[in-house]
Amino acid sequence: MDLTPQQKLELITSNLEEVFHRKLIEDVVLTEQRPLKIYWGTAITGRPHCAYFVPMLKIAQFLRAGANVKILLADLHGFLDADKTSEELLESRTEYYRFVVENMLKAIGVSLDKLEFVKGRTYQLTPNYCFDLLRLTTMTSEHDAKKAGSEVVKQMDSSPLSGSIYPLMQALDEEYLGVDAQFGGLDQRKIFTFAKDSLPKLKYKERAHLMNPMVPGLTGGKMSSSEPESKIDVLDTPEVVTKKIKKAFAEPKKVENNGLLAFAEYVLFPASELREGKPRLVVERIREEKEPLVYGSVEEMRRDYQDDVLTPQLLKTCVTRSLNDLLSPIQMAYNQSLEAQEMTRKAYPEAGKEKPAKDKKKDKGAKKKGAGRQEGEQHANGASTPTTNGEPLPVR
């Protein structure tokens, strides 16, 4: 069913924490009635984890609203951020990110027709871009550059100059990608503010900015790519997913900072709506020998959780099963691609020999599918999601 311009606007701005320059978006969608051009960027650093489902679900909504979306594989940003990715690993990690992001979107039933992947180095090393970057350095103080990147770029006692260049490039990306708006997590707010103020100084137009809320992780904090036990990797087997979610913190009857409920709100319900046409989550109560609990909204889940009808154990079982359902097609694609497996070994050699994710159909001993992840972040501009401890996603 085709959406009206007003319905498109509501879908584009739904569930966001904050929007800069909303009028620009309204002008494009309601007045000009053309596709809104949006970009989301992810710095190429640690292995993408399940927290990335949060921005993926929002990108799915953008596409459903008819927007044209560019995903920036920000390879040079990963290199600039305290050298999180060495120059030798940039290419293989960039290809791995693309593989994971594409298959995450396919797993939630997203058409990629209006989606474009762009590598940062394809335009960030051109003479015009480099000269604009130099122009911007003459207009930006050291203090303002550090302040802009303080929530995203790794901070150290003696930080390299590259970290100050990071936010300047992210601002310029809006112009060189030719978009109307940039999407990211709320932790991107300082960079978005910097971009909003800086582009007009270069005689470029101000863009709109769309910010996802920071979703708590499985322990109530943010996600961490650097600590394997704190995150759920998209290639984690059902057994590993089950183990990690069992360890997740979920205080009975308390819905605040509950990473499992947040994951249900920002991933599981939107994913079910995309795939089935309406939001729906089923919580089985086999051990209790009771009828399953069927939810059509996170508000219903919260009420039952507060009343202890939905217990932490029941919630964990539901999230585990649902997450494994989402991960299954991604892991199947990985298992069927020797190229992807070789790409992973090259991209993350420190992880040792990567074993292909188990094929659930062959693994008769595998437990029921599971779910669970959340987050917090972006130049993966765009959303927050969880792990089991706490630092923001490596997204710009």
Side-chain angles (χ1 to χ4, degrees):
M1 182 181 69
D2 291 337
L3 301 179
T4 66
Q6 184 60 42
Q7 288 174 324
K8 291 179 179 179
L9 178 65
E10 291 172 358
L11 187 56
I12 287 170
T13 58
S14 66
N15 289 335
L16 293 175
E17 186 70 20
E18 190 171 3
V19 177
F20 285 167
H21 208 340
R22 183 186 177 96
K23 187 178 183 304
L24 183 154
I25 299 173
E26 293 174 346
D27 287 344
V28 170
V29 178
L30 301 181
T31 304
E32 299 178 35
Q33 294 191 16
R34 66 169 173 81
L36 185 70
K37 293 179 286 187
I38 306 172
Y39 103 86
W40 175 83
T42 177
I44 306 302
T45 55
R47 286 171 56 149
H49 44 70
C50 290
Y52 279 69
F53 273 120
V54 177
M56 294 303 102
L57 264 299
K58 190 61 201 179
I59 287 172
Q61 291 182 329
F62 293 152
L63 294 169
R64 175 73 180 88
N68 291 331
V69 178
K70 290 183 179 180
I71 290 182
L72 174 63
L73 300 170
D75 48 356
L76 296 186
H77 280 85
F79 178 65
L80 289 173
D81 189 1
D83 199 17
K84 287 182 179 178
T85 297
S86 68
E87 185 177 356
E88 294 74 24
L89 297 176
L90 279 181
E91 186 61 29
S92 55
R93 287 193 177 183
T94 300
E95 291 307 312
Y96 180 73
Y97 264 66
R98 175 166 183 156
F99 173 85
V100 170
V101 170
E102 277 190 346
N103 282 282
M104 291 181 86
L105 288 168
K106 291 177 182 177
I108 57 178
V110 175
S111 170
L112 306 184
D113 292 345
K114 290 191 175 182
L115 183 68
E116 178 185 354
F117 285 87
V118 180
K119 294 181 183 179
R121 64 169 59 196
T122 59
Y123 67 91
Q124 290 168 345
L125 297 178
T126 62
N128 286 345
Y129 186 98
C130 291
F131 186 64
D132 272 345
L133 180 59
L134 292 176
R135 290 172 62 204
L136 193 52
T137 63
T138 69
M139 307 171 184
T140 306
S141 69
E142 178 183 4
H143 172 270
D144 288 348
K146 287 185 176 180
K147 178 182 177 181
S150 61
E151 297 295 323
V152 177
V153 181
K154 185 176 180 179
Q155 303 296 308
M156 299 181 288
D157 291 338
S158 183
S159 299
L161 182 60
S162 59
S164 297
I165 297 175
Y166 187 115
L168 277 66
M169 291 178 62
Q170 188 166 335
L172 279 179
D173 289 340
E174 297 177 355
E175 173 66 21
Y176 280 81
L177 289 172
V179 297
D180 302 304
Q182 182 179 174
F183 166 57
L186 192 61
D187 57 341
Q188 301 286 318
R189 193 179 191 279
K190 290 180 180 179
I191 291 183
F192 289 173
T193 300
F194 175 79
K196 180 172 67 73
D197 296 337
S198 297
L199 287 189
K201 296 178 182 178
L202 295 173
K203 308 302 180 184
Y204 295 138
K205 66 180 181 180
E206 178 185 339
R207 268 62 178 193
H209 296 90
L210 307 159
M211 285 164 272
N212 254 356
M214 300 299 287
V215 181
L218 297 180
T219 57
K222 302 175 192 175
M223 285 230 112
S224 173
S225 305
S226 58
E227 299 178 34
E229 291 305 313
S230 78
K231 70 181 182 69
I232 297 177
D233 192 276
V234 295
L235 299 181
D236 279 346
T237 64
E239 294 85 354
V240 172
V241 171
T242 299
K243 181 180 178 181
K244 288 183 177 180
I245 292 179
K246 277 185 177 180
K247 293 181 178 180
F249 177 75
E251 184 176 343
K253 301 183 181 182
K254 185 177 180 181
V255 300
E256 295 80 12
N257 292 320
N258 186 313
L260 295 168
L261 285 173
F263 191 72
E265 178 179 5
Y266 289 97
V267 175
L268 301 184
F269 277 114
S272 68
E273 185 171 14
L274 275 173
R275 295 188 295 180
E276 302 171 23
K278 62 179 180 179
R280 185 173 182 267
L281 273 184
V282 177
V283 179
E284 300 290 350
R285 296 192 290 178
I286 299 175
R287 285 187 180 179
E288 294 78 4
E289 297 184 349
K290 296 180 180 180
E291 291 295 316
L293 300 170
V294 181
Y295 297 104
S297 70
V298 73
E299 288 76 21
E300 295 172 2
M301 288 192 89
R302 287 197 184 105
R303 283 195 295 269
D304 274 4
Y305 194 83
Q306 287 179 315
D307 295 338
D308 210 27
V309 174
L310 176 62
T311 64
Q313 185 55 47
L314 287 174
L315 178 59
K316 288 182 179 182
T317 300
C318 171
V319 171
T320 299
R321 184 187 67 251
S322 301
L323 178 56
N324 278 329
D325 283 342
L326 288 174
L327 295 178
S328 178
I330 301 172
Q331 296 178 1
M332 183 178 298
Y334 181 80
N335 287 336
Q336 294 174 350
S337 174
L338 293 177
E339 182 182 358
Q341 294 168 36
E342 180 62 21
M343 177 197 310
T344 307
R345 285 189 283 269
K346 289 181 179 179
Y348 299 96
E350 72 282 0
K353 294 184 178 180
E354 284 289 341
K355 294 182 180 180
K358 290 185 180 179
D359 188 329
K360 296 175 187 176
K361 292 184 178 179
K362 296 180 180 179
D363 183 14
K364 296 180 181 179
K367 298 182 180 179
K368 287 186 177 180
K369 300 175 182 179
R373 244 221 182 250
Q374 313 163 6
E375 157 1 36
E377 116 263 79
Q378 218 169 321
H379 193 144
N381 289 314
S384 297
T385 1
T387 148
T388 39
N389 90 325
E391 77 185 31
L393 284 178
V395 258
R396 303 181 355 171

